[in-house]
Amino acid sequence: MLKTDLNSDIGEGYGDWSKGDDAALMEVITSANIACGFHAGDPDVMAETMRLAVANGVGIGAHPGFADLKGFGRRRLALSHEEIANMVTYQLGAAQAMARAAGGEVRHLKLHGALANMASEDAGLARVCYEAALKVQPDIVIMVLAATAMEQVVRELDCAWAGEIFADRAYNDNATLVDRSQPGAVLHDPEAITTRILAMLEEGAIIAESGKRIPCKIDTICVHGDTAGALAMTTGLRSGLEAAGVEIASL
């Protein structure tokens, strides 16, 4: 039987500004990547999101990104490796504290936005981020973009890791994501998404926009919490996969 985790980037509001239906998504997903206050999130949003995760038995992940509230962490910032390592350390520590206060524990880490895209292309940068996290929590599960430089690094580090594919994003032929500025980069049709993801699971491969197959280890599937219609997509994806005999379970 095919089996997969279903995750979402979540807790990405700030103050009175909300983004996505976190409470409803928590009833559908099995892992939550929770913003740590740099690209989104604040202490109150983090606390509430952590409580929702604990109440729903959802695995808690730290989701560090660039300190870029205006750009939602999706702008590439030229920072030194030392700055980036400290940034990851700081955000993971905040996530650990908030999770414990809510009665839970951080289980995994997933980089956000531009930081993730850069690390998927640059093994040196990925190593900096992951070594920083492992110094804080040696048993943490590193969630990586499957078949990219990220996966190369976690294999070299011999740490716990999970290969991730995206339900709502199109892929380039090198397993990186099509830039959001390009037409068709973000997908919205729940039925088409389910068909595509089921094919990827059955083939054990990413299916790029060109049709190219990229063999990879698939442990978890992401639907971005801020994508328009995220709840309908996630609900439809889970229902469709389960109807096809795929088991949805936490990492």
Side-chain angles (χ1 to χ4, degrees):
M1 176 183 286
L2 294 172
K3 179 179 178 181
T4 187
D5 174 65
L6 186 58
N7 81 76
S8 187
D9 303 340
I10 209 164
E12 291 181 320
Y14 195 85
D16 291 336
W17 175 71
S18 61
K19 198 171 185 72
D21 191 343
D22 289 355
L25 275 171
M26 284 288 193
E27 297 178 2
V28 183
I29 61 175
T30 48
S31 293
N33 318 306
I34 299 175
C36 304
F38 273 39
H39 74 277
D42 60 33
D44 296 326
V45 171
M46 288 181 74
E48 175 59 21
T49 309
M50 297 288 184
R51 285 194 292 268
L52 284 170
V54 171
N56 286 278
V58 171
I60 294 174
H63 194 40
F66 285 131
D68 177 28
L69 283 174
K70 186 175 181 180
F72 197 61
R74 289 181 175 150
R75 297 184 291 191
R76 298 188 176 215
L77 303 185
L79 302 180
S80 70
H81 280 184
E82 182 179 9
E83 288 175 301
I84 289 174
N86 290 336
M87 181 181 74
V88 171
T89 301
Y90 185 96
Q91 292 179 76
L92 175 54
Q96 288 178 322
M98 299 304 287
R100 289 172 187 165
E105 294 287 341
V106 170
R107 181 200 58 193
H108 69 274
L109 176 135
K110 173 185 169 181
L111 301 179
H112 168 79
L115 180 60
N117 290 334
M118 292 164 67
S120 74
E121 303 160 3
D122 182 345
L125 177 60
R127 179 175 288 271
V128 165
C129 294
Y130 298 154
E131 286 184 337
L134 291 166
K135 284 180 182 178
V136 176
Q137 187 174 330
D139 64 346
I140 197 166
V141 178
I142 306 294
M143 198 176 280
V144 303
L145 275 70
T148 68
M150 290 177 165
E151 180 174 335
Q152 171 193 330
V153 170
V154 290
R155 287 185 180 275
E156 291 170 355
L157 291 171
D158 195 26
C159 61
W161 65 278
E164 177 186 42
I165 61 171
F166 289 83
D168 55 353
R169 294 296 306 278
Y171 278 92
N172 296 308
D173 282 358
N174 63 354
T176 60
L177 301 177
V178 174
D179 190 276
R180 284 177 176 270
S181 65
Q182 300 302 310
V186 181
L187 311 178
H188 297 280
D189 183 336
E191 186 173 345
I193 284 171
T194 299
T195 300
R196 170 175 172 265
I197 290 298
L198 184 58
M200 290 190 192
L201 289 173
E202 290 173 340
E203 295 186 33
I206 289 167
I207 302 176
E209 193 173 37
S210 68
K212 179 181 177 180
R213 267 58 174 172
I214 307 164
C216 65
K217 176 173 175 278
I218 301 172
D219 300 300
T220 185
I221 301 164
C222 177
V223 176
H224 289 89
D226 67 301
T227 297
L231 179 58
M233 278 190 289
T234 309
T235 302
L237 176 61
R238 176 161 187 163
S239 297
L241 292 180
E242 288 179 329
V246 178
E247 181 185 355
I248 308 299
S250 186
L251 290 172

